């Protein structure tokens, strides 16, 4: 886990560093010969950054392998206990996929923070008597869905608290406003985890969950920023079956 996090962090810093430099240096507004010198310097720095990014990416892929959204449901993940390994393994590639769909391709997802968030949410749900045992043992589909929705809501708020998503863009070229990116991305993944989609349906289900979360962006952001777990759970319970 520490090695994965470090390699991903290095890759993120290199990519964001190049983007920040391009945004900061307004070369077209500089007089000559300063503009020419600044342009030359920027090209040299970008070449260096791209080379370092390529090395970091290749190293990350060699060590980590490819990452694809897993097909575990939230009920299955909760049944495994409070360590969070299965959750972080599912959440990391799914969040990366959703963030790309939302136009936030350079955002950083912390797998370590996701594990920490799962442990916190799991402990909270155990204290309320609605943890994995409730999801698995509650009679009736409706009751199980409600327990799963409550777990998803607790996880959503715990992921925000743990800052599992970092380095989000300003929202100029994203599908939702900058302030909504984090809750909408998390809502998308939690909807998908409750959908029961099989491995062959992962991509379609994640795409549908993202589109639905974008349509609900206003409600999702409002509930998340207010820390309203009951409202978030109600949204999950109402819309998870639509994915």
């Amino acid at each position: 886990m520490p090695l994965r996090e470090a390699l991903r962090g290095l890759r993120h810093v290199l990519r964001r560093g190049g983007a920040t430099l391009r945004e900061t240096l307004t070369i077209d507004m500089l007089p000559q010969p300063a503009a020419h010198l600044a342009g030359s310097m920027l090209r040299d720095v970008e070449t260096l950054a791209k080379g370092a990014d390529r090395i970091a990416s290749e190293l990350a892929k060699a060590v980590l392998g490819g990452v694809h959204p897993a097909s575990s449901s939230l009920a299955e993940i909760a049944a495994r206990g409070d360590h969070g390994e299965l959750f972080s393994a599912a959440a990391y590639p799914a969040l990366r996929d959703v963030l790309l769909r939302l136009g936030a391709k350079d955002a950083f997802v912390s797998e370590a923070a996701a594990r920490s968030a799962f442990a916190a949410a799991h402990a909270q749900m155990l204290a309320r008597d609605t943890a994995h045992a409730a999801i698995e043992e509650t009679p009736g589909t409706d009751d199980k869905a409600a327990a799963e929705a409550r777990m998803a809501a607790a996880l959503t708020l715990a992921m925000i608290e743990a800052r599992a998503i970092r380095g989000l863009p300003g929202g100029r070229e994203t599908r939702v406003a900058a302030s909504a990116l984090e809750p909408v991305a998390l809502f998308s993944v939690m909807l998908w985890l409750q959908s029961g989609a099989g491995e062959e349906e992962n991509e379609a289900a994640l795409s549908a969950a993202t589109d639905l979360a974008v349509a609900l962006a206003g409600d999702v952001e409002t509930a998340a920023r207010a820390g309203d777990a009951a409202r978030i759970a109600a949204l999950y319970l109402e819309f998870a079956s639509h994915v």
Side-chain angles (χ1 to χ4, degrees), residues 4-82:
R4 286 204 300 266
E5 196 88 346
L7 289 172
R8 288 167 179 163
L10 174 61
R11 189 169 54 189
H12 171 72
V13 168
L14 289 169
R15 289 175 176 173
R16 284 303 303 154
T20 300
L21 192 59
R22 285 194 301 274
E23 293 166 2
T24 303
L25 285 178
T26 52
I27 295 174
D28 56 332
M29 297 180 65
L30 294 174
Q32 292 296 347
H36 177 74
L37 291 172
S40 178
M41 181 190 73
L42 179 59
R43 285 190 294 273
D44 289 344
V45 171
E46 286 185 327
T47 298
L48 179 62
K50 286 178 181 177
D53 175 44
R54 186 181 67 254
I55 293 171
S57 295
E58 290 174 355
L59 179 59
K61 289 175 182 176
V63 174
L64 307 176
V67 285
H68 304 284
S71 56
S72 299
S73 70
L74 187 57
E76 292 170 338
I77 291 170
R80 286 281 295 270
D82 63 352

Side-chain angles (χ1 to χ4, degrees), residues 77-169:
I77 291 170
R80 286 281 295 270
D82 63 352
H83 298 297
E85 293 180 6
L86 187 59
F87 172 70
S88 62
Y92 174 82
L95 277 171
R96 289 293 304 135
D97 187 290
V98 168
L99 288 165
L100 283 171
R101 294 174 190 274
L102 293 175
K105 63 184 180 66
D106 290 328
F108 176 71
V109 178
S110 171
E111 195 173 343
R115 290 183 66 185
S116 174
F118 182 87
H122 190 270
Q124 177 186 339
M125 298 306 288
L126 276 174
R128 296 183 180 182
D129 235 9
T130 52
H132 65 278
I135 295 177
E136 291 300 313
E137 297 170 11
T138 301
T141 302
D142 291 343
D143 290 336
K144 286 183 179 180
E148 198 169 12
R150 289 192 294 271
M151 182 65 177
L155 266 172
T156 301
L157 295 178
M159 289 282 278
I160 292 173
E161 178 68 22
R163 294 183 60 247
I165 305 174
R166 304 166 191 177
L168 287 166

